Amino acid sequence: MSITIAAFDGTDRASVDEAYRIGAAANDVDLPDFPPFCRRRFDALFQTPMPGTASLWALARLDGVPAAYQQVDLPQLDNTDNATAELTVRPELRRRGVGRALHEYGLRLLREHGRKRVVAMTVSALPGGPARSAAGDAFAASTGAQPALAEVRRRLDVGQIDRVALRAALAEARPRAEGYQAVCWQGATPQEYVADVAYLDGRLLVDAPMGDVQWEPEQVDADRIRGNERALDARGRRRYHLGMRHEASGRLVAWTLLDVGASADWHAFQQITIVDPAHRGHRLGLIAKAENLHHLLTHEPAVRVIDTFNAASNTYMVAINEQLGFRPVDAWTDWQLTL
């Protein structure tokens, strides 16, 4: 067998097409309950990257047949010792040495760019959950990477929401949130709130459990928020936000985001939810998430399921999600390899 590896970028449309087909095939086999692999999102990774991220792409061929691709992201604004990687092998061509060759190629690139560690994710089954291949975890361990953070994906079946219990929870929570007002918007953040959203976004890696992942907090400002928005617009992500405004100061002190992708109107992701530490204890997280759920479903009636990811140790956010009706589906591991 002959394995060849070549770098490519967005100008090489043939390689982009081949990588997309590999990703779509892997998505269908590895995560059959996920939305289809989104072509619009994939193209936007090349055309409109997230601000402050340089991506290196490579395509591996086995006996001339496109077999795997790798995306390595190099942060440019912070975490300049770090990288993230995604390595995807076409299902029917696995266990032929292609993934190993592509991994070693990626390590050479990382060393050339002065990176000291790389983080990647794998999925595995939970007891009683749907079947998931153990190959990702085994491959990561075989490279010398260490499991650095355990996460769990939970799913909310919209048709199974206990609306009576949810109304009761909100009725109990709202008296504790006197002096706060919910504000919602779609798409780009209103200018009056963009500085507050930047502050809250920048707190995420300070406040969220990170386990043993060595990742410094990101420096987020209004320009970075606007750059993120342009990148998400290019991916076709329809975004529904809800913030909690502290009436005395006029500041947005809590923020949550749900979004729907371009490839499946039946599916949404619950993204960031964060509350400024100075304003915790008022049930703002629960209120924001519950009211934003209503906001989303009002505008996206086709949504049937919503997925979210949490660190297994994030007991506060997990409790809120469980109260809303999210239930565990599968386990995800952030692996960290020190070069």
Side-chain angles (χ1 to χ4, degrees):
M1 293 186 296
S2 170
I3 298 172
T4 59
I5 298 173
F8 71 97
D9 59 23
T11 65
D12 183 351
R13 298 309 303 168
S15 291
V16 172
D17 289 346
E18 294 291 2
Y20 170 76
R21 284 191 282 269
I22 292 166
N27 185 80
D28 290 347
V29 169
D30 297 336
L31 294 164
D33 65 322
F34 255 36
F37 201 63
C38 182
R39 183 62 199 246
R40 180 171 175 180
R41 172 192 170 274
F42 195 73
D43 285 344
L45 297 176
F46 300 90
Q47 299 162 1
T48 314
M50 287 292 183
T53 301
S55 296
L56 305 176
W57 295 81
L59 184 68
R61 289 179 169 85
L62 178 65
D63 294 333
V65 176
Y69 74 86
Q70 185 176 60
Q71 176 188 358
V72 173
D73 285 343
L74 306 176
Q76 304 292 300
L77 302 177
D78 39 50
N79 287 287
T80 54
D81 287 338
N82 292 343
T84 61
E86 181 177 327
L87 196 163
T88 305
V89 182
R90 184 181 288 277
E92 66 271 22
L93 297 178
R94 292 172 179 171
R95 306 188 69 83
R96 312 279 186 91
V98 179
R100 177 72 56 183
L102 200 49
H103 167 71
E104 292 172 355
Y105 172 91
L107 290 184
R108 290 194 296 272
L109 284 180
L110 291 170
R111 293 188 177 103
E112 289 171 7
H113 285 83
R115 302 294 158 141
K116 297 179 180 178
R117 62 193 69 87
V118 60
V119 176
M121 293 185 74
T122 60
V123 61
S124 57
L126 288 172
R132 296 287 183 258
S133 171
D137 284 353
F139 179 83
S142 74
T143 69
Q146 297 297 314
L149 178 66
E151 300 191 53
V152 175
R153 173 170 65 113
R154 286 176 169 80
R155 171 165 283 190
L156 174 64
D157 182 335
V158 170
Q160 298 298 315
I161 295 174
D162 187 338
R163 298 179 188 274
V164 173
L166 186 54
R167 283 195 294 270
L170 284 172
E172 188 275 333
R174 284 194 176 104
R176 300 181 60 173
E178 290 185 7
Y180 298 89
Q181 177 187 17
V183 292
C184 59
W185 68 92
Q186 298 175 37
T189 298
Q191 187 61 33
E192 64 186 296
Y193 298 130
V194 71
D196 293 335
V197 165
Y199 166 75
L200 291 168
D201 198 4
R203 284 210 64 90
L204 180 62
L205 297 185
V206 177
D207 297 341
M210 292 296 289
D212 294 325
V213 176
Q214 297 180 51
W215 205 272
E216 67 191 43
E218 295 175 345
Q219 305 302 309
V220 183
D221 58 15
D223 287 343
R224 193 163 181 175
I225 290 294
R226 295 305 189 205
N228 289 341
E229 290 174 344
R230 287 190 292 272
L232 293 170
D233 285 342
R235 288 155 172 74
R237 305 301 303 186
R238 302 194 297 277
R239 305 182 304 284
Y240 297 85
H241 306 254
L242 192 134
M244 299 299 293
R245 178 179 174 273
H246 182 229
E247 294 174 349
S249 66
R251 291 185 52 241
L252 211 67
V253 297
W255 169 51
T256 189
L257 168 65
L258 285 156
D259 70 355
V260 178
S263 67
D265 63 2
W266 54 268
H267 181 273
F269 278 112
Q270 169 67 67
Q271 306 282 11
I272 187 172
T273 301
I274 191 151
V275 179
D276 188 335
H279 295 270
R280 292 176 184 165
H282 298 280
R283 302 292 177 87
L284 300 184
L286 171 63
I287 294 169
K289 291 179 78 119
E291 295 201 2
N292 202 35
L293 177 61
H294 176 73
H295 179 209
L296 170 82
L297 296 177
T298 298
H299 293 89
E300 300 279 354
V303 168
R304 301 195 307 272
V305 296
I306 302 171
D307 283 329
T308 193
F309 292 79
N310 296 109
S313 59
N314 192 350
T315 55
Y316 172 74
M317 198 58 64
V318 167
I320 292 177
N321 287 335
E322 294 271 352
Q323 191 171 8
L324 291 172
F326 285 87
R327 297 294 180 261
V329 177
D330 43 28
W332 294 71
T333 303
D334 293 82
W335 294 83
Q336 181 171 270
L337 177 63
T338 300
L339 279 64

